Amino acid sequence: MIRRIAEIGPAIPLIAIHGGAGTMSRAGAATGQEAAYHAALQAVLVPAQQLLASGGCALDAVTLAVELLEDCPLFNAGHGAVFTHDETHELDAAVMDGATLRAGAVACVTRIKRPVRAARAVMEHSEHVLFTGAGAEEFARKHGLELVDPSYFSTEARREQLRRALATDRAVLDHDGAALAVSSTPSAPLEERGKMGTVGAVALDAQGNLAAATSTGGMTNKQPGRVGDSPLIGAGTYADNGTAAVSCTGTGEMFIRLATAYDLCARMRYAGLSLEAAADEVVMRALPAIGGRGGLIALDRHGNLSMPFNTEGMYRGHARVGAAPQTAIFR
Amino acid sequence: MIRRIAEIGPAIPLIAIHGGAGTMSRAGAATGQEAAYHAALQAVLVPAQQLLASGGCALDAVTLAVELLEDCPLFNAGHGAVFTHDETHELDAAVMDGATLRAGAVACVTRIKRPVRAARAVMEHSEHVLFTGAGAEEFARKHGLELVDPSYFSTEARREQLRRALATDRAVLDHDGAALAVSSTPSAPLEERGKMGTVGAVALDAQGNLAAATSTGGMTNKQPGRVGDSPLIGAGTYADNGTAAVSCTGTGEMFIRLATAYDLCARMRYAGLSLEAAADEVVMRALPAIGGRGGLIALDRHGNLSMPFNTEGMYRGHARVGAAPQTAIFR
């Protein structure tokens, strides 16, 4: 009887997050540095878990989690975002509400302190889904969001990554890839070459609603104006109570070409796959078939959680209400 | 025996195009004006059909068709694009190759004469899928595409539409919608209120490959920086030889929220629906369920073509190699 109640009753609220996927640092991670990443993930999970425990909604939980990930300099979003080729920052973010299929996103913004809040404002205060560039910033300003000098996003570690990426570009031309073995941030557990840097969150609340959010600083040394999968609804971010909430990280272009986040949901809805089977098909078969590397976090309304990645590691963690948060980096 | 060969042989190459969907003009279309739209659609179909007849590929056919639609001032893309609220033009375009799932897109560009060519260049000459704004223009310039003064896109008819839209905005505030009955271009067969203006093409070539392309000037009086579904792979544009080539037109935000173009393909692949059934489900059920209005053109590798719309009309046409081009506006 208790078992039956557990089966048909509302699922236990849950927050899950990621901080990007990638290969292991060739220089090897210092133990202290690895611990710093676990601690940073914990510091995001705990308040989001508390929010859900006190009856907060999934949309607020993913927004809070992504804000905290944006504020943390270890992850490539908000403060600590990577540099473009022109030594600027261009930030993208999206959020989606699984209960209503409403969504909001911003792309190529340079002065919005917390891009995920701007994405949320677009969702809640406009009839549009996606704003880019100066138009997105003007929208954010009108809605009272904090704008900062672009230097706010810069950290010395990211500037050093750009220097190394620029040097590698030249080295690739000169030495046919020999310089690719240079790890740009030797002390991080995962290689910070900038291709996989994204943060995201998915949540299930006590009302059975799902939400997803993603934010990124893009790729180190990227050409200005490039937009990856993160702010694109259906590519890097999707949420539908009927299927799943999904946030992706990886080689963004491949995720766009496969409409990855939505594809996972479509495999559940139309092919009848479980969350885990759909996530596995997408990450372990469909993406590798076109050279796509990375991972995703996906959650359904029954509280099933899947966090597959086809790289060596993905910064990730989850916390069910009433249980200790769990974090992981490698397999 | 002949019948069997017809069944297993390659399908007859085919181009299909649309020039936007919408409600009938309340002022009623002058007969001559309706004929002008039919003639304009014919003038696009004929060269694209010839290209396919002479062995050209689907990708070249959709690029050519959309270029010609961009050049035609009757349609909201390229020359003849609508004005933003700030009396500027912001253009979006995308192209996708169904054989390889490669895709390219540009958004919020203001000086690229033929945005679909820029989308094609992004697909062919970069590792990225989507570029926005000045970064997209710099990319186009580097690849030798023609840039023009923004005034190239302006027509007196579109400027008049903006004036009326601005007046309507004020009127809505003052008179609670009474001014909505004002038709902004009384002589066009479909009402040109700017919400539905998009052009697109899908094609099947003699090799059995599919391609899709879409281009738009966005919405009259839109807020700068807003991006609709047209340049978003999976939302307004998708092509996969295994399912279909799709180009959408309508209330873009709803198409984004449902990942409409990809959803049609997913219903074919995972639910086993025919092209026609999938297109019908998407346009007549899924979109209306969230208030989405518009239509799409969809084509599979067997040469099945579906062009459903849930509005009163959609400018559209198609031409199979060896047959006379067909054009239509209303049901």
Side-chain angles (χ1 to χ4, degrees), chain A residues 241-274:
Chain A
N241 278 2
T243 49
V246 185
S247 174
C248 301
T249 179
T251 49
E253 278 70 14
M254 307 305 168
F255 286 68
I256 295 173
R257 289 166 56 192
L258 297 181
T260 299
Y262 184 74
D263 185 47
L264 190 158
C265 297
R267 288 169 191 261
M268 293 176 69
R269 169 167 295 160
Y270 304 131
L273 294 191
S274 68

PDB file of all heavy atoms in Angstrom, chain A residues 241-274:
ATOM      1  N   ASN A 241       6.068  19.447 -19.502  1.00  0.00           N
ATOM      2  CA  ASN A 241       5.617  18.544 -18.439  1.00  0.00           C
ATOM      3  C   ASN A 241       5.284  17.155 -18.966  1.00  0.00           C
ATOM      4  O   ASN A 241       5.407  16.166 -18.245  1.00  0.00           O
ATOM      5  CB  ASN A 241       4.364  19.114 -17.762  1.00  0.00           C
ATOM      6  CG  ASN A 241       4.700  20.168 -16.709  1.00  0.00           C
ATOM      7  OD1 ASN A 241       5.869  20.491 -16.507  1.00  0.00           O
ATOM      8  ND2 ASN A 241       3.668  20.691 -16.061  1.00  0.00           N
ATOM      9  N   GLY A 242       4.851  17.087 -20.216  1.00  0.00           N
ATOM     10  CA  GLY A 242       4.433  15.809 -20.777  1.00  0.00           C
ATOM     11  C   GLY A 242       5.583  14.874 -21.099  1.00  0.00           C
ATOM     12  O   GLY A 242       5.366  13.673 -21.314  1.00  0.00           O
ATOM     13  N   THR A 243       6.772  15.416 -21.171  1.00  0.00           N
ATOM     14  CA  THR A 243       7.931  14.584 -21.501  1.00  0.00           C
ATOM     15  C   THR A 243       9.062  14.861 -20.520  1.00  0.00           C
ATOM     16  O   THR A 243       9.229  14.123 -19.552  1.00  0.00           O
ATOM     17  CB  THR A 243       8.394  14.812 -22.949  1.00  0.00           C
ATOM     18  OG1 THR A 243       8.507  16.219 -23.201  1.00  0.00           O
ATOM     19  CG2 THR A 243       7.409  14.203 -23.937  1.00  0.00           C
ATOM     20  N   ALA A 244       9.838  15.923 -20.733  1.00  0.00           N
ATOM     21  CA  ALA A 244      11.014  16.134 -19.897  1.00  0.00           C
ATOM     22  C   ALA A 244      11.462  17.583 -19.902  1.00  0.00           C
ATOM     23  O   ALA A 244      11.076  18.369 -20.770  1.00  0.00           O
ATOM     24  CB  ALA A 244      12.165  15.264 -20.409  1.00  0.00           C
ATOM     25  N   ALA A 245      12.310  17.912 -18.925  1.00  0.00           N
ATOM     26  CA  ALA A 245      13.067  19.166 -18.924  1.00  0.00           C
ATOM     27  C   ALA A 245      14.501  18.796 -19.252  1.00  0.00           C
ATOM     28  O   ALA A 245      15.040  17.837 -18.692  1.00  0.00           O
ATOM     29  CB  ALA A 245      12.993  19.843 -17.564  1.00  0.00           C
ATOM     30  N   VAL A 246      15.122  19.554 -20.169  1.00  0.00           N
ATOM     31  CA  VAL A 246      16.445  19.193 -20.693  1.00  0.00           C
ATOM     32  C   VAL A 246      17.326  20.430 -20.778  1.00  0.00           C
ATOM     33  O   VAL A 246      16.893  21.476 -21.271  1.00  0.00           O
ATOM     34  CB  VAL A 246      16.320  18.586 -22.115  1.00  0.00           C
ATOM     35  CG1 VAL A 246      17.679  18.091 -22.609  1.00  0.00           C
ATOM     36  CG2 VAL A 246      15.279  17.480 -22.162  1.00  0.00           C
ATOM     37  N   SER A 247      18.587  20.300 -20.335  1.00  0.00           N
ATOM     38  CA  SER A 247      19.596  21.337 -20.571  1.00  0.00           C
ATOM     39  C   SER A 247      20.858  20.659 -21.069  1.00  0.00           C
ATOM     40  O   SER A 247      21.345  19.710 -20.460  1.00  0.00           O
ATOM     41  CB  SER A 247      19.888  22.129 -19.289  1.00  0.00           C
ATOM     42  OG  SER A 247      20.971  23.029 -19.504  1.00  0.00           O
ATOM     43  N   CYS A 248      21.393  21.158 -22.187  1.00  0.00           N
ATOM     44  CA  CYS A 248      22.519  20.507 -22.865  1.00  0.00           C
ATOM     45  C   CYS A 248      23.818  21.276 -22.687  1.00  0.00           C
ATOM     46  O   CYS A 248      23.819  22.476 -22.423  1.00  0.00           O
ATOM     47  CB  CYS A 248      22.236  20.411 -24.361  1.00  0.00           C
ATOM     48  SG  CYS A 248      20.741  19.495 -24.779  1.00  0.00           S
ATOM     49  N   THR A 249      24.931  20.596 -22.914  1.00  0.00           N
ATOM     50  CA  THR A 249      26.244  21.231 -22.977  1.00  0.00           C
ATOM     51  C   THR A 249      27.133  20.422 -23.905  1.00  0.00           C
ATOM     52  O   THR A 249      27.144  19.196 -23.847  1.00  0.00           O
ATOM     53  CB  THR A 249      26.881  21.345 -21.582  1.00  0.00           C
ATOM     54  OG1 THR A 249      28.171  21.948 -21.727  1.00  0.00           O
ATOM     55  CG2 THR A 249      27.037  19.985 -20.903  1.00  0.00           C
ATOM     56  N   GLY A 250      27.843  21.115 -24.780  1.00  0.00           N
ATOM     57  CA  GLY A 250      28.734  20.395 -25.683  1.00  0.00           C
ATOM     58  C   GLY A 250      29.041  21.214 -26.917  1.00  0.00           C
ATOM     59  O   GLY A 250      28.976  22.440 -26.893  1.00  0.00           O
ATOM     60  N   THR A 251      29.373  20.524 -27.998  1.00  0.00           N
ATOM     61  CA  THR A 251      29.676  21.185 -29.260  1.00  0.00           C
ATOM     62  C   THR A 251      28.353  21.688 -29.841  1.00  0.00           C
ATOM     63  O   THR A 251      27.646  20.970 -30.547  1.00  0.00           O
ATOM     64  CB  THR A 251      30.342  20.199 -30.228  1.00  0.00           C
ATOM     65  OG1 THR A 251      29.578  18.994 -30.263  1.00  0.00           O
ATOM     66  CG2 THR A 251      31.743  19.839 -29.759  1.00  0.00           C
ATOM     67  N   GLY A 252      28.046  22.954 -29.542  1.00  0.00           N
ATOM     68  CA  GLY A 252      26.710  23.501 -29.747  1.00  0.00           C
ATOM     69  C   GLY A 252      26.129  23.301 -31.132  1.00  0.00           C
ATOM     70  O   GLY A 252      24.930  23.047 -31.278  1.00  0.00           O
ATOM     71  N   GLU A 253      26.962  23.429 -32.163  1.00  0.00           N
ATOM     72  CA  GLU A 253      26.438  23.340 -33.522  1.00  0.00           C
ATOM     73  C   GLU A 253      25.796  21.985 -33.798  1.00  0.00           C
ATOM     74  O   GLU A 253      24.782  21.890 -34.490  1.00  0.00           O
ATOM     75  CB  GLU A 253      27.550  23.633 -34.529  1.00  0.00           C
ATOM     76  CG  GLU A 253      27.816  25.124 -34.751  1.00  0.00           C
ATOM     77  CD  GLU A 253      28.458  25.837 -33.582  1.00  0.00           C
ATOM     78  OE1 GLU A 253      28.970  25.149 -32.657  1.00  0.00           O
ATOM     79  OE2 GLU A 253      28.456  27.078 -33.556  1.00  0.00           O
ATOM     80  N   MET A 254      26.382  20.917 -33.271  1.00  0.00           N
ATOM     81  CA  MET A 254      25.817  19.581 -33.494  1.00  0.00           C
ATOM     82  C   MET A 254      24.481  19.442 -32.759  1.00  0.00           C
ATOM     83  O   MET A 254      23.557  18.784 -33.247  1.00  0.00           O
ATOM     84  CB  MET A 254      26.788  18.501 -33.015  1.00  0.00           C
ATOM     85  CG  MET A 254      28.182  18.622 -33.587  1.00  0.00           C
ATOM     86  SD  MET A 254      28.213  18.674 -35.405  1.00  0.00           S
ATOM     87  CE  MET A 254      29.918  19.183 -35.685  1.00  0.00           C
ATOM     88  N   PHE A 255      24.396  20.077 -31.598  1.00  0.00           N
ATOM     89  CA  PHE A 255      23.147  20.046 -30.835  1.00  0.00           C
ATOM     90  C   PHE A 255      22.045  20.814 -31.571  1.00  0.00           C
ATOM     91  O   PHE A 255      20.875  20.441 -31.525  1.00  0.00           O
ATOM     92  CB  PHE A 255      23.360  20.630 -29.430  1.00  0.00           C
ATOM     93  CG  PHE A 255      24.124  19.719 -28.496  1.00  0.00           C
ATOM     94  CD1 PHE A 255      25.464  19.433 -28.711  1.00  0.00           C
ATOM     95  CD2 PHE A 255      23.498  19.149 -27.391  1.00  0.00           C
ATOM     96  CE1 PHE A 255      26.170  18.588 -27.851  1.00  0.00           C
ATOM     97  CE2 PHE A 255      24.188  18.311 -26.528  1.00  0.00           C
ATOM     98  CZ  PHE A 255      25.532  18.030 -26.760  1.00  0.00           C
ATOM     99  N   ILE A 256      22.431  21.891 -32.271  1.00  0.00           N
ATOM    100  CA  ILE A 256      21.451  22.655 -33.064  1.00  0.00           C
ATOM    101  C   ILE A 256      20.958  21.808 -34.228  1.00  0.00           C
ATOM    102  O   ILE A 256      19.750  21.718 -34.493  1.00  0.00           O
ATOM    103  CB  ILE A 256      22.074  23.955 -33.613  1.00  0.00           C
ATOM    104  CG1 ILE A 256      22.444  24.919 -32.478  1.00  0.00           C
ATOM    105  CG2 ILE A 256      21.119  24.638 -34.599  1.00  0.00           C
ATOM    106  CD1 ILE A 256      23.229  26.152 -32.941  1.00  0.00           C
ATOM    107  N   ARG A 257      21.882  21.186 -34.939  1.00  0.00           N
ATOM    108  CA  ARG A 257      21.533  20.443 -36.148  1.00  0.00           C
ATOM    109  C   ARG A 257      20.588  19.274 -35.860  1.00  0.00           C
ATOM    110  O   ARG A 257      19.817  18.857 -36.730  1.00  0.00           O
ATOM    111  CB  ARG A 257      22.807  19.958 -36.849  1.00  0.00           C
ATOM    112  CG  ARG A 257      23.590  21.102 -37.486  1.00  0.00           C
ATOM    113  CD  ARG A 257      25.004  20.695 -37.875  1.00  0.00           C
ATOM    114  NE  ARG A 257      25.008  19.544 -38.757  1.00  0.00           N
ATOM    115  CZ  ARG A 257      26.101  18.839 -39.077  1.00  0.00           C
ATOM    116  NH1 ARG A 257      27.283  19.196 -38.584  1.00  0.00           N
ATOM    117  NH2 ARG A 257      26.013  17.818 -39.878  1.00  0.00           N
ATOM    118  N   LEU A 258      20.675  18.728 -34.637  1.00  0.00           N
ATOM    119  CA  LEU A 258      19.787  17.609 -34.272  1.00  0.00           C
ATOM    120  C   LEU A 258      18.584  18.055 -33.444  1.00  0.00           C
ATOM    121  O   LEU A 258      17.786  17.206 -33.034  1.00  0.00           O
ATOM    122  CB  LEU A 258      20.577  16.556 -33.489  1.00  0.00           C
ATOM    123  CG  LEU A 258      21.724  15.877 -34.240  1.00  0.00           C
ATOM    124  CD1 LEU A 258      22.392  14.833 -33.345  1.00  0.00           C
ATOM    125  CD2 LEU A 258      21.230  15.228 -35.536  1.00  0.00           C
ATOM    126  N   ALA A 259      18.456  19.352 -33.179  1.00  0.00           N
ATOM    127  CA  ALA A 259      17.374  19.829 -32.296  1.00  0.00           C
ATOM    128  C   ALA A 259      17.355  18.953 -31.046  1.00  0.00           C
ATOM    129  O   ALA A 259      16.325  18.401 -30.650  1.00  0.00           O
ATOM    130  CB  ALA A 259      16.020  19.814 -33.013  1.00  0.00           C
ATOM    131  N   THR A 260      18.530  18.852 -30.409  1.00  0.00           N
ATOM    132  CA  THR A 260      18.791  17.813 -29.420  1.00  0.00           C
ATOM    133  C   THR A 260      17.827  17.792 -28.234  1.00  0.00           C
ATOM    134  O   THR A 260      17.290  16.736 -27.879  1.00  0.00           O
ATOM    135  CB  THR A 260      20.242  17.927 -28.931  1.00  0.00           C
ATOM    136  OG1 THR A 260      21.107  17.744 -30.064  1.00  0.00           O
ATOM    137  CG2 THR A 260      20.550  16.893 -27.871  1.00  0.00           C
ATOM    138  N   ALA A 261      17.626  18.936 -27.602  1.00  0.00           N
ATOM    139  CA  ALA A 261      16.788  18.939 -26.395  1.00  0.00           C
ATOM    140  C   ALA A 261      15.362  18.507 -26.742  1.00  0.00           C
ATOM    141  O   ALA A 261      14.747  17.698 -26.034  1.00  0.00           O
ATOM    142  CB  ALA A 261      16.790  20.327 -25.751  1.00  0.00           C
ATOM    143  N   TYR A 262      14.849  19.037 -27.860  1.00  0.00           N
ATOM    144  CA  TYR A 262      13.494  18.643 -28.254  1.00  0.00           C
ATOM    145  C   TYR A 262      13.457  17.204 -28.749  1.00  0.00           C
ATOM    146  O   TYR A 262      12.469  16.476 -28.514  1.00  0.00           O
ATOM    147  CB  TYR A 262      12.915  19.581 -29.323  1.00  0.00           C
ATOM    148  CG  TYR A 262      11.494  19.191 -29.622  1.00  0.00           C
ATOM    149  CD1 TYR A 262      10.487  19.487 -28.717  1.00  0.00           C
ATOM    150  CD2 TYR A 262      11.176  18.454 -30.752  1.00  0.00           C
ATOM    151  CE1 TYR A 262       9.186  19.074 -28.941  1.00  0.00           C
ATOM    152  CE2 TYR A 262       9.877  18.039 -30.984  1.00  0.00           C
ATOM    153  CZ  TYR A 262       8.889  18.350 -30.073  1.00  0.00           C
ATOM    154  OH  TYR A 262       7.604  17.933 -30.288  1.00  0.00           O
ATOM    155  N   ASP A 263      14.526  16.770 -29.405  1.00  0.00           N
ATOM    156  CA  ASP A 263      14.561  15.397 -29.921  1.00  0.00           C
ATOM    157  C   ASP A 263      14.408  14.383 -28.791  1.00  0.00           C
ATOM    158  O   ASP A 263      13.731  13.360 -28.946  1.00  0.00           O
ATOM    159  CB  ASP A 263      15.876  15.156 -30.677  1.00  0.00           C
ATOM    160  CG  ASP A 263      15.918  13.789 -31.333  1.00  0.00           C
ATOM    161  OD1 ASP A 263      14.928  13.406 -31.982  1.00  0.00           O
ATOM    162  OD2 ASP A 263      16.934  13.088 -31.186  1.00  0.00           O
ATOM    163  N   LEU A 264      15.044  14.664 -27.656  1.00  0.00           N
ATOM    164  CA  LEU A 264      14.898  13.765 -26.512  1.00  0.00           C
ATOM    165  C   LEU A 264      13.414  13.648 -26.128  1.00  0.00           C
ATOM    166  O   LEU A 264      12.884  12.537 -25.947  1.00  0.00           O
ATOM    167  CB  LEU A 264      15.737  14.291 -25.332  1.00  0.00           C
ATOM    168  CG  LEU A 264      15.893  13.369 -24.122  1.00  0.00           C
ATOM    169  CD1 LEU A 264      17.149  13.787 -23.330  1.00  0.00           C
ATOM    170  CD2 LEU A 264      14.695  13.381 -23.190  1.00  0.00           C
ATOM    171  N   CYS A 265      12.747  14.803 -26.053  1.00  0.00           N
ATOM    172  CA  CYS A 265      11.316  14.803 -25.701  1.00  0.00           C
ATOM    173  C   CYS A 265      10.483  14.076 -26.762  1.00  0.00           C
ATOM    174  O   CYS A 265       9.542  13.345 -26.431  1.00  0.00           O
ATOM    175  CB  CYS A 265      10.833  16.242 -25.548  1.00  0.00           C
ATOM    176  SG  CYS A 265      11.645  17.138 -24.200  1.00  0.00           S
ATOM    177  N   ALA A 266      10.827  14.272 -28.033  1.00  0.00           N
ATOM    178  CA  ALA A 266      10.074  13.642 -29.127  1.00  0.00           C
ATOM    179  C   ALA A 266      10.212  12.121 -29.087  1.00  0.00           C
ATOM    180  O   ALA A 266       9.265  11.389 -29.365  1.00  0.00           O
ATOM    181  CB  ALA A 266      10.555  14.183 -30.472  1.00  0.00           C
ATOM    182  N   ARG A 267      11.412  11.639 -28.729  1.00  0.00           N
ATOM    183  CA  ARG A 267      11.604  10.191 -28.629  1.00  0.00           C
ATOM    184  C   ARG A 267      10.760   9.602 -27.504  1.00  0.00           C
ATOM    185  O   ARG A 267      10.298   8.459 -27.592  1.00  0.00           O
ATOM    186  CB  ARG A 267      13.084   9.863 -28.394  1.00  0.00           C
ATOM    187  CG  ARG A 267      13.946  10.084 -29.632  1.00  0.00           C
ATOM    188  CD  ARG A 267      15.428   9.999 -29.294  1.00  0.00           C
ATOM    189  NE  ARG A 267      16.259  10.446 -30.392  1.00  0.00           N
ATOM    190  CZ  ARG A 267      16.877   9.645 -31.270  1.00  0.00           C
ATOM    191  NH1 ARG A 267      16.766   8.341 -31.151  1.00  0.00           N
ATOM    192  NH2 ARG A 267      17.600  10.142 -32.234  1.00  0.00           N
ATOM    193  N   MET A 268      10.568  10.378 -26.426  1.00  0.00           N
ATOM    194  CA  MET A 268       9.688   9.915 -25.359  1.00  0.00           C
ATOM    195  C   MET A 268       8.233   9.924 -25.820  1.00  0.00           C
ATOM    196  O   MET A 268       7.512   8.945 -25.677  1.00  0.00           O
ATOM    197  CB  MET A 268       9.841  10.814 -24.119  1.00  0.00           C
ATOM    198  CG  MET A 268      11.210  10.706 -23.447  1.00  0.00           C
ATOM    199  SD  MET A 268      11.401  11.866 -22.072  1.00  0.00           S
ATOM    200  CE  MET A 268      10.251  11.148 -20.871  1.00  0.00           C
ATOM    201  N   ARG A 269       7.798  11.047 -26.400  1.00  0.00           N
ATOM    202  CA  ARG A 269       6.387  11.209 -26.755  1.00  0.00           C
ATOM    203  C   ARG A 269       5.951  10.303 -27.900  1.00  0.00           C
ATOM    204  O   ARG A 269       4.912   9.655 -27.823  1.00  0.00           O
ATOM    205  CB  ARG A 269       6.116  12.662 -27.133  1.00  0.00           C
ATOM    206  CG  ARG A 269       4.735  12.871 -27.766  1.00  0.00           C
ATOM    207  CD  ARG A 269       4.345  14.307 -27.852  1.00  0.00           C
ATOM    208  NE  ARG A 269       4.186  14.872 -26.516  1.00  0.00           N
ATOM    209  CZ  ARG A 269       4.230  16.173 -26.252  1.00  0.00           C
ATOM    210  NH1 ARG A 269       4.453  17.028 -27.210  1.00  0.00           N
ATOM    211  NH2 ARG A 269       4.060  16.597 -25.022  1.00  0.00           N
ATOM    212  N   TYR A 270       6.740  10.291 -28.961  1.00  0.00           N
ATOM    213  CA  TYR A 270       6.283   9.594 -30.177  1.00  0.00           C
ATOM    214  C   TYR A 270       6.774   8.152 -30.261  1.00  0.00           C
ATOM    215  O   TYR A 270       6.088   7.308 -30.837  1.00  0.00           O
ATOM    216  CB  TYR A 270       6.716  10.365 -31.423  1.00  0.00           C
ATOM    217  CG  TYR A 270       6.246  11.798 -31.451  1.00  0.00           C
ATOM    218  CD1 TYR A 270       7.133  12.830 -31.740  1.00  0.00           C
ATOM    219  CD2 TYR A 270       4.916  12.132 -31.179  1.00  0.00           C
ATOM    220  CE1 TYR A 270       6.712  14.151 -31.769  1.00  0.00           C
ATOM    221  CE2 TYR A 270       4.491  13.451 -31.198  1.00  0.00           C
ATOM    222  CZ  TYR A 270       5.392  14.457 -31.496  1.00  0.00           C
ATOM    223  OH  TYR A 270       4.981  15.767 -31.518  1.00  0.00           O
ATOM    224  N   ALA A 271       7.992   7.889 -29.730  1.00  0.00           N
ATOM    225  CA  ALA A 271       8.514   6.522 -29.810  1.00  0.00           C
ATOM    226  C   ALA A 271       8.260   5.750 -28.523  1.00  0.00           C
ATOM    227  O   ALA A 271       8.551   4.560 -28.448  1.00  0.00           O
ATOM    228  CB  ALA A 271      10.014   6.553 -30.122  1.00  0.00           C
ATOM    229  N   GLY A 272       7.745   6.445 -27.501  1.00  0.00           N
ATOM    230  CA  GLY A 272       7.416   5.764 -26.254  1.00  0.00           C
ATOM    231  C   GLY A 272       8.612   5.366 -25.420  1.00  0.00           C
ATOM    232  O   GLY A 272       8.508   4.515 -24.531  1.00  0.00           O
ATOM    233  N   LEU A 273       9.771   5.970 -25.664  1.00  0.00           N
ATOM    234  CA  LEU A 273      10.959   5.627 -24.881  1.00  0.00           C
ATOM    235  C   LEU A 273      10.861   6.198 -23.471  1.00  0.00           C
ATOM    236  O   LEU A 273      10.223   7.217 -23.241  1.00  0.00           O
ATOM    237  CB  LEU A 273      12.218   6.181 -25.550  1.00  0.00           C
ATOM    238  CG  LEU A 273      12.628   5.617 -26.909  1.00  0.00           C
ATOM    239  CD1 LEU A 273      14.027   6.105 -27.265  1.00  0.00           C
ATOM    240  CD2 LEU A 273      12.586   4.099 -26.916  1.00  0.00           C
ATOM    241  N   SER A 274      11.541   5.526 -22.538  1.00  0.00           N
ATOM    242  CA  SER A 274      11.698   6.083 -21.201  1.00  0.00           C
ATOM    243  C   SER A 274      12.651   7.268 -21.272  1.00  0.00           C
ATOM    244  O   SER A 274      13.384   7.436 -22.258  1.00  0.00           O
ATOM    245  CB  SER A 274      12.288   5.031 -20.265  1.00  0.00           C
ATOM    246  OG  SER A 274      13.637   4.766 -20.658  1.00  0.00           O
TER     247      SER A 274
END
